[in-house]
Amino acid sequence: MDYAAYYRKAEGDYLAYYAAIAQAQGRDPQATARTRDADGTIPEEARPLLYNVSAEIKNTFHEFGAPLPPLLEGCTVLDLCCGSGRDTYLAAQLVGAQGKVIGVEPVAARLAVAQKYLAQEIKQFGYDECNVELVNAAPEDLSFVADGSVDVVISNCTFNLSPDKERYIAEVKRVLKDGGEWYFTDVFCDRRIPQATSDQVENVAMRLGGALFIEDFRRLAQAAGFHDPRYLMTWQTPVSPDEAAVYPGIAFATITSRLINSELTSDHCEDYGEEITYDGSLPGYPEFFLYDKDIKFPAGKTCHVCDNVSVLPLATRYAKVISVTGSRDVHYGDIHGDHIIKCAPDFDGVVDEDDQPIQASCC
């Protein structure tokens, strides 16, 4: 199956597609927001920073949560489909005066709200120089961003709106540095939405029609070179009776995802005998580091990990708080044990349906 084509709604004229979605969404930001409450998704260190963001920016923003990973100081952050700029200006405070944030928004009217307050926001942050760049463009064409120049890419429940998700992912991969991180929140579903339903702009505008089957997202991400997508936080996405009638039997979830751009990762968790230790110094995480929904690293405890997890301190900015021991000189196979190999029967005594010894070969 051509997964990329299944989710492609437009090629080339992306701005026109986003404009049509914006028109279908209407003026009420809360009508289409699908992320859950801010307390669950806005990191503790960012919550007080909301007070520095203009009321109009917050009141015209179409989301609730904020996918902002830790350790952003000094980073270059790319905020895709930034809307009126709430997350952009939160990130601008987290990266500090030496960092930079690029806010990309395909709908000019929404970006105009962010631009209106640019000078005021920078002054509010106490910066001598502006560390925010706002660009009217689509995530599917980031040609104004240099290859390998971005530390972190974020987006807030807007990837599902993309008219060409394969292109979107490819552009994120291209602009990320080695060891860079794509950290975003979005709506996914447990099966493919029928094409006729997802082709309707009105359905996409309500943030459900453009949702990906979670396994198709994995396939597209891995095909682009993100070998090991991880899911940090998941919540069931509420669906109204009217929406349930449009999407019968389909379950939706709002998920915060982490994808690391590193050739040190693989498409399967493998064991090199590596161990990592989290030092407990992250603001808001004194007791543990949340790697994904299934894995927490207790502060001060050494944990045996697979090659995809050890990449955090090996290749990324997380080396500031996580240390790794071991090397990749010796390979120990599947981190969970390869049951296909270890549980295979001996050839001695194994016979075919005619009670004859099986003639086996190694190739």
Side-chain angles (χ1 to χ4, degrees):
M1 177 179 178
D2 188 343
Y3 302 105
Y6 192 85
Y7 295 100
R8 186 177 297 124
K9 308 300 178 185
E11 293 183 78
D13 195 1
Y14 300 121
L15 293 182
Y17 190 86
Y18 279 107
I21 290 175
Q23 186 173 3
Q25 285 177 331
R27 297 182 60 83
D28 180 10
Q30 295 189 9
T32 55
R34 288 287 175 181
T35 51
R36 300 302 288 266
D37 69 44
D39 286 345
T41 56
I42 295 181
E44 183 177 318
E45 62 179 324
R47 291 173 200 169
L49 303 180
L50 279 169
Y51 293 106
N52 295 329
V53 180
S54 169
E56 185 179 3
I57 290 173
K58 290 182 285 192
N59 292 338
T60 55
F61 194 65
H62 278 251
E63 319 306 336
F64 291 140
L68 296 164
L71 297 173
L72 290 180
E73 185 173 358
C75 288
T76 296
V77 174
L78 180 64
D79 183 7
L80 298 179
C81 289
C82 68
S84 58
R86 193 206 65 179
D87 289 352
T88 301
Y89 287 123
L90 281 177
Q93 298 175 77
L94 293 170
V95 302
Q98 304 306 311
K100 179 180 180 181
V101 181
I102 305 169
V104 175
E105 171 55 45
V107 181
R110 290 178 180 170
L111 190 66
V113 178
Q115 292 171 323
K116 175 181 176 181
Y117 293 95
L118 179 56
Q120 176 180 317
E121 293 295 321
I122 298 304
K123 183 178 180 180
Q124 177 78 11
F125 304 158
Y127 298 160
D128 294 328
E129 301 290 336
C130 182
N131 70 341
V132 172
E133 179 184 358
L134 299 170
V135 184
N136 180 208
E140 294 78 12
D141 181 7
L142 300 173
S143 52
F144 52 92
V145 181
D147 294 1
S149 62
V150 173
D151 295 291
V152 178
V153 175
I154 63 173
S155 63
N156 194 336
C157 205
T158 55
F159 174 59
N160 67 82
L161 302 179
S162 172
D164 190 344
K165 293 180 171 63
E166 179 188 39
R167 178 70 179 171
Y168 186 118
I169 296 172
E171 283 291 84
V172 170
K173 179 71 167 60
R174 179 185 65 79
V175 302
L176 276 176
K177 295 178 181 178
D178 183 31
E181 181 178 25
W182 182 17
Y183 191 96
F184 72 104
T185 296
D186 224 299
V187 178
F188 294 92
C189 50
D190 68 340
R191 65 200 71 183
R192 294 185 194 103
I193 296 171
Q195 195 86 63
T197 302
S198 66
D199 279 346
Q200 295 183 36
V201 169
E202 293 77 11
N203 292 335
V204 176
M206 296 306 292
R207 308 301 177 96
L208 295 180
L212 273 77
F213 171 38
I214 189 67
E215 291 302 319
D216 286 347
F217 172 68
R218 175 188 59 78
R219 294 180 178 106
L220 290 172
Q222 289 181 329
F226 290 111
H227 302 134
D228 186 46
R230 295 282 176 150
Y231 310 115
L232 279 80
M233 295 175 279
T234 64
W235 303 270
Q236 287 293 320
T237 302
V239 177
S240 70
D242 288 345
E243 290 170 335
V246 177
Y247 308 98
I250 300 177
F252 295 89
T254 303
I255 302 175
T256 297
S257 302
R258 164 185 283 133
L259 290 81
I260 302 295
N261 179 36
S262 175
E263 292 306 313
L264 294 175
T265 58
S266 58
D267 64 354
H268 187 76
C269 292
E270 299 182 12
D271 188 0
Y272 288 90
E274 295 168 299
E275 297 178 325
I276 66 172
T277 306
Y278 167 53
D279 67 12
S281 64
L282 275 178
Y285 295 95
E287 297 180 355
F288 64 87
F289 176 88
L290 180 66
Y291 179 68
D292 67 19
K293 64 182 180 60
D294 300 313
I295 301 175
K296 293 180 180 178
F297 298 121
K301 183 177 179 180
T302 298
C303 303
H304 179 208
V305 297
C306 73
D307 57 340
N308 290 331
V309 178
S310 68
V311 162
L312 273 179
L314 283 176
T316 75
R317 68 191 189 285
Y318 292 103
K320 298 173 184 176
V321 298
I322 299 175
S323 59
V324 61
T325 56
S327 69
R328 298 198 172 188
D329 295 335
V330 179
H331 183 236
Y332 297 98
D334 188 324
I335 190 75
H336 303 295
D338 194 324
H339 301 291
I340 295 175
I341 303 298
K342 292 183 173 64
C343 295
D346 293 333
F347 282 119
D348 290 344
V350 178
V351 296
D352 61 19
E353 62 272 16
D354 297 320
D355 291 330
Q356 298 298 311
I358 289 178
Q359 300 299 311
S361 156
C362 67
C363 55

